[in-house]
Amino acid sequence: MSYKPTHSYLKKRISLFIIDIIASAYNTIITEKDFIVNTTKPEFNGDYTVVLFSLTKKLNTNIKDLATNLGEHLLQNHSDVIASHNLTGAFLNISITESYLLNFLNVEYANNTYSKKPFHGKKVMVEYSSPNTNKPLHLGHLRNNFLGYSIAEIYKWNGYDVFTSCIVNDRGMHICKSMLAWQKWGNGKTPSDTNQKGDHFVGDYYVLFASALKQEIAELQQHGLTEKEAEQKSLLMQDVQKMLVLWEQGDAGIMQLWNMMNGWVYEGFDFTYKKIGTTFDRTYYESKTYLLGKKFVEDGLQEKRFFKKEDHSVWTDLTKYGLDEKLLLRKDGTSVYITQDLGLAENKFNDFAYNTSIYVVGDEQNYHFQVLKIILQQLEKPYANGVYHLSYGMVELPSGKMKSREGTVVDADDLIAEMTTIAKQHSIELGKIDAFNEEQLERLSFTIGMAALKFYLLRVDPKKKMIFNPEESIDFHGFTGPFIQYTYARICSIIDKNNAPITSDENAVFLSSLEKELLLEIDLMPHIFEQSLAENNPSLVAVYAYTVAKKFNAFYAQHPILQAENEAIKKMRLRLATFVSYVLKNCAHALGFELPEKM
């Protein structure tokens, strides 16, 4: 059996071998879910390990007999791939032939077949960013944007037709708070008057409102009211509620104010999105989706799926799902978040006919998206089951949690500038940028800073809360984006210094343990991208890219490339280094950062 280029990486091929052997030798059908194949632990002898526990139960046989049978069939039918096997406890350890790995390197390198899978017809919508027009983008938004971009790229790599969207939360109580504050205390000022980005300008008024409300509530509490009672009695909150009602009624003055202030914010958002490389196939606005959502609620009310309380507010009873009653329309007829999300889901499906709709939203909204899916199922929408909430943990600082209304968030624009400055300082300290002019150095510093920022925010499992440390993220020798960039630039430098074509050499070449280890790691790339998709977890790609880079540097420290023992080994190592660069480039693209050829 000769080697053929394939996306069936070794881990998958071994699984398929085992499935075929079980079918022919035991007349039993199993799937990949019935057993586990792992990379072999360092203390064992082998490259891959088949865990036999589950198979012995399924086949009603003992471990030793099963291991012997599987091992003999593997050597008999797949000797081009399997070199040897051994049993340790309930683990069948398998070693891969050197000839397979060399063929893998030559064929895959020559044809560059380690790339995206072909389109298979399934469509995915990835919605992310979801900014509010009452404040600028901040550190939390950056994790959201980077997760959304990365998961979209991972789906694309796996053969999905992917569409990206953003819902702008441009209406509601929080927006009216900024509007009311500017109306009361803005004195007609504009962003140009204060030399600010529009989103920063409007965000300052949101903070100002929160400060004034806090003071008013404190004064009311002095008269014996509870905090909740004081907020209800607050004149500021009553004015905000009146403004929201007027907005939903289309009051000309309120609409003019709203359009003006949102326009300032959008200019600010566009600047930041361009900086971080965020684009969307479609941008939706809550102000244009909530009416459709309200219609869904009214239809559900007529169909007796929902109910109205005495104060005329509309609710749905979710107690049979283990939840509670959920408000759908307030007593004054104004909508809530869930209302606009009902309309948004319909709009997105009509526009893109997706199979799956992924919402990249923080874990504080877990309940919201659980409810959204149930309500869409209650309404018997055809896309209801495709709703998926990619929930992620909040980003905190060493000093603690960020709060927008108190003005303690880390602004995205400020952070990007800080990361660029830190990257520049580190590059100058390393003394390897003497040939760069000032413009090139600025560009390189920005590229390194963004890689550091994106990698650091993506290297943690999305489900986990994380603490962001800017200095730690820019370490050219650590678990960072700049380390991946440094490794790639190092490979580019090696290839640039080679004066001959990097062709395949048929002469016999023996692999060292480090070369074999690196090839086995490269072979894992399709598996990592599949696993990342299955778990909706880009951190697996980040960890993998770091592992490949680390193993390349370990190999290169022990084995010279351009000064190799002979021409055949030199060509093999050049192909190996180039293949590593392919893998790093795939990973970096999926994580959203660039790999400079010189650093």
Side-chain angles (χ1 to χ4, degrees), residues 352-404:
F352 295 100
Y354 53 76
N355 301 99
T356 302
S357 182
I358 299 173
Y359 295 80
V360 183
V361 183
D363 56 12
E364 77 277 11
Q365 295 294 332
N366 286 350
Y367 170 77
H368 174 88
F369 284 98
Q370 186 181 6
V371 169
L372 174 65
K373 188 167 187 172
I374 291 172
I375 293 175
L376 289 172
Q377 288 170 335
Q378 286 179 323
L379 294 170
E380 299 180 356
K381 295 296 179 181
Y383 45 84
N385 293 333
V387 169
Y388 178 83
H389 176 205
L390 199 170
S391 171
Y392 64 90
M394 293 294 97
V395 185
E396 295 185 2
L397 301 170
S399 58
K401 191 174 182 180
M402 300 181 293
K403 296 179 181 178
S404 295

Short mmCIF file of all heavy atoms in Angstrom, two decimals, residues 352-404:
data_model
loop_
_atom_site.label_atom_id
_atom_site.label_comp_id
_atom_site.label_asym_id
_atom_site.label_seq_id
_atom_site.Cartn_x
_atom_site.Cartn_y
_atom_site.Cartn_z
N PHE A 352 -29.56 34.54 5.23
CA PHE A 352 -28.46 33.60 4.98
C PHE A 352 -28.84 32.13 5.05
O PHE A 352 -28.00 31.28 4.75
CB PHE A 352 -27.32 33.88 5.98
CG PHE A 352 -26.70 35.23 5.80
CD1 PHE A 352 -27.04 36.29 6.64
CD2 PHE A 352 -25.78 35.47 4.78
CE1 PHE A 352 -26.48 37.55 6.47
CE2 PHE A 352 -25.22 36.72 4.61
CZ PHE A 352 -25.56 37.76 5.45
N ALA A 353 -30.05 31.78 5.47
CA ALA A 353 -30.52 30.39 5.51
C ALA A 353 -29.49 29.47 6.16
O ALA A 353 -29.09 28.45 5.62
CB ALA A 353 -30.86 29.90 4.09
N TYR A 354 -29.04 29.83 7.35
CA TYR A 354 -27.98 29.09 8.03
C TYR A 354 -28.48 27.77 8.60
O TYR A 354 -29.67 27.57 8.85
CB TYR A 354 -27.40 29.94 9.16
CG TYR A 354 -28.43 30.47 10.13
CD1 TYR A 354 -29.01 29.65 11.10
CD2 TYR A 354 -28.81 31.81 10.11
CE1 TYR A 354 -29.94 30.14 11.99
CE2 TYR A 354 -29.75 32.31 11.02
CZ TYR A 354 -30.31 31.47 11.95
OH TYR A 354 -31.24 31.94 12.84
N ASN A 355 -27.55 26.84 8.80
CA ASN A 355 -27.83 25.61 9.54
C ASN A 355 -27.59 25.81 11.04
O ASN A 355 -28.30 25.25 11.87
CB ASN A 355 -26.94 24.46 9.05
CG ASN A 355 -27.13 24.17 7.58
OD1 ASN A 355 -26.35 24.62 6.75
ND2 ASN A 355 -28.18 23.44 7.24
N THR A 356 -26.56 26.61 11.34
CA THR A 356 -26.21 26.89 12.73
C THR A 356 -25.98 28.39 12.89
O THR A 356 -25.36 29.02 12.03
CB THR A 356 -24.92 26.14 13.15
OG1 THR A 356 -25.11 24.74 12.95
CG2 THR A 356 -24.57 26.40 14.61
N SER A 357 -26.48 28.94 13.98
CA SER A 357 -26.27 30.36 14.27
C SER A 357 -25.54 30.47 15.61
O SER A 357 -26.10 30.15 16.66
CB SER A 357 -27.61 31.10 14.34
OG SER A 357 -27.41 32.48 14.58
N ILE A 358 -24.28 30.90 15.55
CA ILE A 358 -23.44 30.99 16.74
C ILE A 358 -23.46 32.42 17.26
O ILE A 358 -23.18 33.37 16.52
CB ILE A 358 -21.99 30.56 16.42
CG1 ILE A 358 -21.97 29.11 15.95
CG2 ILE A 358 -21.09 30.75 17.63
CD1 ILE A 358 -20.61 28.64 15.46
N TYR A 359 -23.79 32.57 18.53
CA TYR A 359 -23.78 33.87 19.19
C TYR A 359 -22.57 33.92 20.13
O TYR A 359 -22.51 33.16 21.11
CB TYR A 359 -25.04 34.08 20.02
CG TYR A 359 -26.33 34.14 19.23
CD1 TYR A 359 -26.97 32.99 18.78
CD2 TYR A 359 -26.94 35.37 18.96
CE1 TYR A 359 -28.16 33.05 18.06
CE2 TYR A 359 -28.14 35.44 18.25
CZ TYR A 359 -28.74 34.28 17.81
OH TYR A 359 -29.92 34.34 17.11
N VAL A 360 -21.61 34.78 19.82
CA VAL A 360 -20.43 34.93 20.69
C VAL A 360 -20.74 36.03 21.70
O VAL A 360 -20.64 37.22 21.42
CB VAL A 360 -19.18 35.28 19.86
CG1 VAL A 360 -17.94 35.36 20.76
CG2 VAL A 360 -18.96 34.27 18.75
N VAL A 361 -21.15 35.60 22.89
CA VAL A 361 -21.60 36.54 23.92
C VAL A 361 -21.13 36.02 25.28
O VAL A 361 -21.09 34.81 25.51
CB VAL A 361 -23.15 36.69 23.93
CG1 VAL A 361 -23.60 37.71 24.96
CG2 VAL A 361 -23.66 37.08 22.54
N GLY A 362 -20.79 36.94 26.19
CA GLY A 362 -20.26 36.58 27.50
C GLY A 362 -21.20 35.70 28.31
O GLY A 362 -22.41 35.65 28.10
N ASP A 363 -20.60 35.00 29.29
CA ASP A 363 -21.35 34.00 30.05
C ASP A 363 -22.40 34.60 30.99
O ASP A 363 -23.23 33.87 31.54
CB ASP A 363 -20.41 33.07 30.82
CG ASP A 363 -19.47 33.81 31.76
OD1 ASP A 363 -19.67 35.02 31.99
OD2 ASP A 363 -18.51 33.18 32.26
N GLU A 364 -22.39 35.92 31.16
CA GLU A 364 -23.45 36.52 31.98
C GLU A 364 -24.79 36.48 31.25
O GLU A 364 -25.84 36.73 31.85
CB GLU A 364 -23.09 37.97 32.36
CG GLU A 364 -23.27 39.00 31.27
CD GLU A 364 -22.10 39.09 30.30
OE1 GLU A 364 -21.23 38.21 30.36
OE2 GLU A 364 -22.06 40.06 29.51
N GLN A 365 -24.76 36.12 29.95
CA GLN A 365 -25.99 36.02 29.16
C GLN A 365 -26.39 34.56 28.89
O GLN A 365 -27.18 34.30 27.99
CB GLN A 365 -25.81 36.75 27.82
CG GLN A 365 -25.62 38.26 27.97
CD GLN A 365 -26.84 38.95 28.52
OE1 GLN A 365 -27.96 38.49 28.33
NE2 GLN A 365 -26.64 40.06 29.21
N ASN A 366 -25.87 33.62 29.67
CA ASN A 366 -26.21 32.20 29.48
C ASN A 366 -27.72 31.98 29.55
O ASN A 366 -28.32 31.29 28.72
CB ASN A 366 -25.52 31.33 30.53
CG ASN A 366 -24.03 31.17 30.26
OD1 ASN A 366 -23.53 31.55 29.20
ND2 ASN A 366 -23.31 30.63 31.22
N TYR A 367 -28.35 32.57 30.56
CA TYR A 367 -29.79 32.41 30.74
C TYR A 367 -30.54 33.00 29.56
O TYR A 367 -31.50 32.41 29.05
CB TYR A 367 -30.22 33.09 32.04
CG TYR A 367 -31.72 33.21 32.22
CD1 TYR A 367 -32.48 32.11 32.60
CD2 TYR A 367 -32.38 34.43 31.99
CE1 TYR A 367 -33.86 32.23 32.77
CE2 TYR A 367 -33.74 34.54 32.15
CZ TYR A 367 -34.49 33.44 32.54
OH TYR A 367 -35.84 33.55 32.68
N HIS A 368 -30.11 34.17 29.10
CA HIS A 368 -30.78 34.86 27.99
C HIS A 368 -30.85 33.96 26.75
O HIS A 368 -31.92 33.84 26.13
CB HIS A 368 -30.03 36.15 27.66
CG HIS A 368 -30.55 36.87 26.46
ND1 HIS A 368 -31.57 37.79 26.51
CD2 HIS A 368 -30.19 36.80 25.13
CE1 HIS A 368 -31.82 38.26 25.30
NE2 HIS A 368 -31.00 37.68 24.45
N PHE A 369 -29.74 33.33 26.41
CA PHE A 369 -29.73 32.54 25.18
C PHE A 369 -30.41 31.18 25.35
O PHE A 369 -30.93 30.62 24.39
CB PHE A 369 -28.30 32.40 24.65
CG PHE A 369 -27.83 33.66 23.99
CD1 PHE A 369 -27.05 34.57 24.68
CD2 PHE A 369 -28.22 33.97 22.71
CE1 PHE A 369 -26.64 35.76 24.09
CE2 PHE A 369 -27.84 35.14 22.10
CZ PHE A 369 -27.05 36.05 22.79
N GLN A 370 -30.44 30.70 26.58
CA GLN A 370 -31.23 29.51 26.86
C GLN A 370 -32.71 29.81 26.62
O GLN A 370 -33.43 29.02 25.98
CB GLN A 370 -30.99 29.06 28.30
CG GLN A 370 -31.65 27.74 28.67
CD GLN A 370 -31.40 27.36 30.12
OE1 GLN A 370 -30.84 28.13 30.90
NE2 GLN A 370 -31.84 26.18 30.51
N VAL A 371 -33.13 30.97 27.10
CA VAL A 371 -34.52 31.40 26.92
C VAL A 371 -34.83 31.67 25.45
O VAL A 371 -35.88 31.28 24.94
CB VAL A 371 -34.80 32.67 27.77
CG1 VAL A 371 -36.13 33.30 27.39
CG2 VAL A 371 -34.76 32.33 29.24
N LEU A 372 -33.91 32.33 24.74
CA LEU A 372 -34.13 32.63 23.33
C LEU A 372 -34.39 31.36 22.53
O LEU A 372 -35.33 31.30 21.73
CB LEU A 372 -32.90 33.36 22.76
CG LEU A 372 -32.93 33.62 21.24
CD1 LEU A 372 -34.06 34.59 20.89
CD2 LEU A 372 -31.59 34.17 20.76
N LYS A 373 -33.57 30.36 22.76
CA LYS A 373 -33.74 29.10 22.01
C LYS A 373 -35.09 28.46 22.32
O LYS A 373 -35.79 27.99 21.41
CB LYS A 373 -32.60 28.14 22.36
CG LYS A 373 -32.57 26.88 21.50
CD LYS A 373 -31.26 26.14 21.67
CE LYS A 373 -31.17 24.98 20.69
NZ LYS A 373 -29.83 24.35 20.69
N ILE A 374 -35.47 28.46 23.59
CA ILE A 374 -36.75 27.86 23.98
C ILE A 374 -37.93 28.60 23.36
O ILE A 374 -38.88 27.99 22.84
CB ILE A 374 -36.90 27.82 25.52
CG1 ILE A 374 -35.89 26.82 26.11
CG2 ILE A 374 -38.32 27.44 25.93
CD1 ILE A 374 -35.83 26.85 27.63
N ILE A 375 -37.88 29.94 23.38
CA ILE A 375 -38.99 30.72 22.80
C ILE A 375 -39.10 30.48 21.30
O ILE A 375 -40.20 30.32 20.76
CB ILE A 375 -38.81 32.22 23.10
CG1 ILE A 375 -38.95 32.48 24.60
CG2 ILE A 375 -39.84 33.05 22.34
CD1 ILE A 375 -38.67 33.91 25.01
N LEU A 376 -37.96 30.42 20.61
CA LEU A 376 -37.99 30.13 19.17
C LEU A 376 -38.55 28.74 18.90
O LEU A 376 -39.28 28.52 17.92
CB LEU A 376 -36.58 30.26 18.58
CG LEU A 376 -36.03 31.68 18.48
CD1 LEU A 376 -34.56 31.66 18.07
CD2 LEU A 376 -36.83 32.51 17.49
N GLN A 377 -38.26 27.80 19.80
CA GLN A 377 -38.84 26.46 19.68
C GLN A 377 -40.34 26.50 19.96
O GLN A 377 -41.13 25.82 19.28
CB GLN A 377 -38.14 25.49 20.64
CG GLN A 377 -36.72 25.14 20.22
CD GLN A 377 -35.94 24.39 21.29
OE1 GLN A 377 -36.23 24.50 22.48
NE2 GLN A 377 -34.94 23.63 20.88
N GLN A 378 -40.74 27.33 20.94
CA GLN A 378 -42.18 27.49 21.21
C GLN A 378 -42.91 28.04 19.99
O GLN A 378 -44.04 27.66 19.70
CB GLN A 378 -42.38 28.45 22.39
CG GLN A 378 -42.05 27.88 23.76
CD GLN A 378 -42.26 28.90 24.86
OE1 GLN A 378 -41.99 30.09 24.68
NE2 GLN A 378 -42.74 28.46 26.02
N LEU A 379 -42.24 28.96 19.28
CA LEU A 379 -42.82 29.56 18.08
C LEU A 379 -42.67 28.66 16.84
O LEU A 379 -43.12 29.02 15.76
CB LEU A 379 -42.16 30.91 17.81
CG LEU A 379 -42.43 32.00 18.87
CD1 LEU A 379 -41.52 33.21 18.62
CD2 LEU A 379 -43.89 32.42 18.84
N GLU A 380 -42.02 27.49 17.04
CA GLU A 380 -41.82 26.48 15.98
C GLU A 380 -41.06 27.05 14.78
O GLU A 380 -41.39 26.78 13.62
CB GLU A 380 -43.17 25.90 15.55
CG GLU A 380 -43.89 25.19 16.70
CD GLU A 380 -45.24 24.60 16.27
OE1 GLU A 380 -45.64 24.79 15.11
OE2 GLU A 380 -45.88 23.94 17.11
N LYS A 381 -40.04 27.84 15.08
CA LYS A 381 -39.20 28.38 14.02
C LYS A 381 -38.26 27.29 13.50
O LYS A 381 -37.67 26.55 14.30
CB LYS A 381 -38.40 29.58 14.53
CG LYS A 381 -39.26 30.77 14.91
CD LYS A 381 -40.01 31.33 13.70
CE LYS A 381 -40.89 32.50 14.06
NZ LYS A 381 -41.62 33.01 12.87
N PRO A 382 -38.08 27.19 12.18
CA PRO A 382 -37.27 26.09 11.62
C PRO A 382 -35.79 26.18 11.99
O PRO A 382 -35.07 25.19 11.88
CB PRO A 382 -37.46 26.27 10.10
CG PRO A 382 -37.84 27.69 9.92
CD PRO A 382 -38.65 28.05 11.14
N TYR A 383 -35.35 27.33 12.43
CA TYR A 383 -33.93 27.52 12.74
C TYR A 383 -33.66 27.47 14.25
O TYR A 383 -32.52 27.66 14.69
CB TYR A 383 -33.46 28.88 12.21
CG TYR A 383 -34.40 30.02 12.51
CD1 TYR A 383 -34.37 30.68 13.74
CD2 TYR A 383 -35.35 30.44 11.58
CE1 TYR A 383 -35.24 31.72 14.03
CE2 TYR A 383 -36.23 31.48 11.86
CZ TYR A 383 -36.16 32.12 13.08
OH TYR A 383 -37.03 33.15 13.37
N ALA A 384 -34.69 27.17 15.04
CA ALA A 384 -34.56 27.24 16.50
C ALA A 384 -33.47 26.31 17.03
O ALA A 384 -32.66 26.70 17.88
CB ALA A 384 -35.90 26.91 17.16
N ASN A 385 -33.42 25.09 16.54
CA ASN A 385 -32.46 24.11 17.06
C ASN A 385 -31.02 24.43 16.67
O ASN A 385 -30.08 23.86 17.23
CB ASN A 385 -32.83 22.70 16.60
CG ASN A 385 -34.13 22.23 17.22
OD1 ASN A 385 -34.51 22.67 18.31
ND2 ASN A 385 -34.83 21.34 16.54
N GLY A 386 -30.85 25.32 15.70
CA GLY A 386 -29.50 25.68 15.27
C GLY A 386 -28.87 26.79 16.09
O GLY A 386 -27.72 27.15 15.86
N VAL A 387 -29.61 27.32 17.05
CA VAL A 387 -29.08 28.40 17.90
C VAL A 387 -28.02 27.83 18.84
O VAL A 387 -28.26 26.84 19.55
CB VAL A 387 -30.22 29.06 18.71
CG1 VAL A 387 -29.64 29.98 19.79
CG2 VAL A 387 -31.14 29.84 17.79
N TYR A 388 -26.83 28.45 18.85
CA TYR A 388 -25.75 28.00 19.74
C TYR A 388 -25.09 29.22 20.37
O TYR A 388 -24.66 30.14 19.68
CB TYR A 388 -24.70 27.19 18.97
CG TYR A 388 -23.54 26.76 19.84
CD1 TYR A 388 -23.64 25.60 20.62
CD2 TYR A 388 -22.37 27.51 19.92
CE1 TYR A 388 -22.61 25.21 21.44
CE2 TYR A 388 -21.33 27.13 20.75
CZ TYR A 388 -21.45 25.98 21.51
OH TYR A 388 -20.41 25.59 22.33
N HIS A 389 -25.02 29.22 21.68
CA HIS A 389 -24.39 30.31 22.42
C HIS A 389 -22.95 29.93 22.73
O HIS A 389 -22.70 29.04 23.54
CB HIS A 389 -25.16 30.58 23.70
CG HIS A 389 -24.54 31.64 24.57
ND1 HIS A 389 -24.75 31.70 25.93
CD2 HIS A 389 -23.71 32.68 24.28
CE1 HIS A 389 -24.08 32.71 26.44
NE2 HIS A 389 -23.44 33.32 25.46
N LEU A 390 -21.99 30.61 22.08
CA LEU A 390 -20.58 30.42 22.42
C LEU A 390 -20.31 31.35 23.61
O LEU A 390 -20.00 32.51 23.46
CB LEU A 390 -19.67 30.76 21.24
CG LEU A 390 -18.25 30.19 21.28
CD1 LEU A 390 -17.54 30.39 19.94
CD2 LEU A 390 -17.40 30.77 22.39
N SER A 391 -20.46 30.76 24.78
CA SER A 391 -20.34 31.52 26.02
C SER A 391 -18.88 31.61 26.44
O SER A 391 -18.15 30.62 26.38
CB SER A 391 -21.16 30.79 27.10
OG SER A 391 -20.95 31.34 28.37
N TYR A 392 -18.47 32.79 26.86
CA TYR A 392 -17.07 32.94 27.28
C TYR A 392 -16.99 33.74 28.58
O TYR A 392 -17.88 34.52 28.91
CB TYR A 392 -16.23 33.61 26.19
CG TYR A 392 -16.63 35.03 25.87
CD1 TYR A 392 -16.06 36.11 26.55
CD2 TYR A 392 -17.58 35.32 24.90
CE1 TYR A 392 -16.42 37.42 26.27
CE2 TYR A 392 -17.96 36.62 24.61
CZ TYR A 392 -17.37 37.66 25.30
OH TYR A 392 -17.75 38.95 25.03
N GLY A 393 -15.90 33.52 29.30
CA GLY A 393 -15.70 34.20 30.57
C GLY A 393 -15.22 35.62 30.39
O GLY A 393 -14.63 35.97 29.37
N MET A 394 -15.44 36.43 31.39
CA MET A 394 -15.06 37.83 31.33
C MET A 394 -13.54 37.99 31.45
O MET A 394 -12.86 37.16 32.03
CB MET A 394 -15.74 38.61 32.44
CG MET A 394 -17.25 38.71 32.30
SD MET A 394 -17.77 39.70 30.85
CE MET A 394 -18.08 38.40 29.63
N VAL A 395 -13.05 39.09 30.90
CA VAL A 395 -11.64 39.46 31.04
C VAL A 395 -11.53 40.44 32.19
O VAL A 395 -12.25 41.44 32.23
CB VAL A 395 -11.09 40.12 29.76
CG1 VAL A 395 -9.59 40.37 29.91
CG2 VAL A 395 -11.36 39.24 28.54
N GLU A 396 -10.65 40.14 33.11
CA GLU A 396 -10.43 41.05 34.23
C GLU A 396 -8.98 41.52 34.25
O GLU A 396 -8.12 40.95 33.57
CB GLU A 396 -10.79 40.36 35.55
CG GLU A 396 -12.26 40.02 35.67
CD GLU A 396 -12.64 39.45 37.03
OE1 GLU A 396 -11.75 39.37 37.90
OE2 GLU A 396 -13.82 39.09 37.21
N LEU A 397 -8.74 42.54 35.01
CA LEU A 397 -7.39 43.08 35.17
C LEU A 397 -6.84 42.60 36.50
O LEU A 397 -7.59 42.17 37.38
CB LEU A 397 -7.45 44.60 35.14
CG LEU A 397 -8.02 45.21 33.85
CD1 LEU A 397 -8.24 46.69 34.06
CD2 LEU A 397 -7.08 44.96 32.70
N PRO A 398 -5.53 42.68 36.69
CA PRO A 398 -4.98 42.33 38.00
C PRO A 398 -5.66 43.11 39.13
O PRO A 398 -5.75 42.64 40.26
CB PRO A 398 -3.50 42.70 37.87
CG PRO A 398 -3.22 42.53 36.41
CD PRO A 398 -4.47 42.97 35.71
N SER A 399 -6.17 44.31 38.79
CA SER A 399 -6.83 45.15 39.80
C SER A 399 -8.28 44.77 40.04
O SER A 399 -8.92 45.27 40.96
CB SER A 399 -6.76 46.62 39.38
OG SER A 399 -7.38 46.80 38.11
N GLY A 400 -8.85 43.88 39.19
CA GLY A 400 -10.23 43.45 39.41
C GLY A 400 -11.13 43.64 38.20
O GLY A 400 -10.67 43.89 37.09
N LYS A 401 -12.44 43.55 38.43
CA LYS A 401 -13.45 43.58 37.38
C LYS A 401 -13.63 44.99 36.83
O LYS A 401 -13.55 45.97 37.55
CB LYS A 401 -14.78 43.06 37.92
CG LYS A 401 -15.84 42.80 36.87
CD LYS A 401 -17.07 42.14 37.50
CE LYS A 401 -18.12 41.83 36.46
NZ LYS A 401 -19.31 41.19 37.06
N MET A 402 -13.89 45.07 35.50
CA MET A 402 -14.13 46.36 34.86
C MET A 402 -15.63 46.69 34.89
O MET A 402 -16.46 45.80 34.79
CB MET A 402 -13.66 46.31 33.40
CG MET A 402 -12.19 46.00 33.22
SD MET A 402 -11.70 45.97 31.49
CE MET A 402 -12.59 44.54 30.88
N LYS A 403 -15.95 47.99 35.00
CA LYS A 403 -17.34 48.43 35.02
C LYS A 403 -17.50 49.66 34.15
O LYS A 403 -16.92 50.71 34.43
CB LYS A 403 -17.79 48.74 36.46
CG LYS A 403 -17.78 47.52 37.38
CD LYS A 403 -18.18 47.87 38.80
CE LYS A 403 -18.14 46.65 39.69
NZ LYS A 403 -18.50 46.97 41.10
N SER A 404 -18.31 49.53 33.08
CA SER A 404 -18.48 50.63 32.13
C SER A 404 -19.07 51.86 32.79
O SER A 404 -18.62 52.99 32.58
CB SER A 404 -19.38 50.20 30.97
OG SER A 404 -18.78 49.19 30.22
#
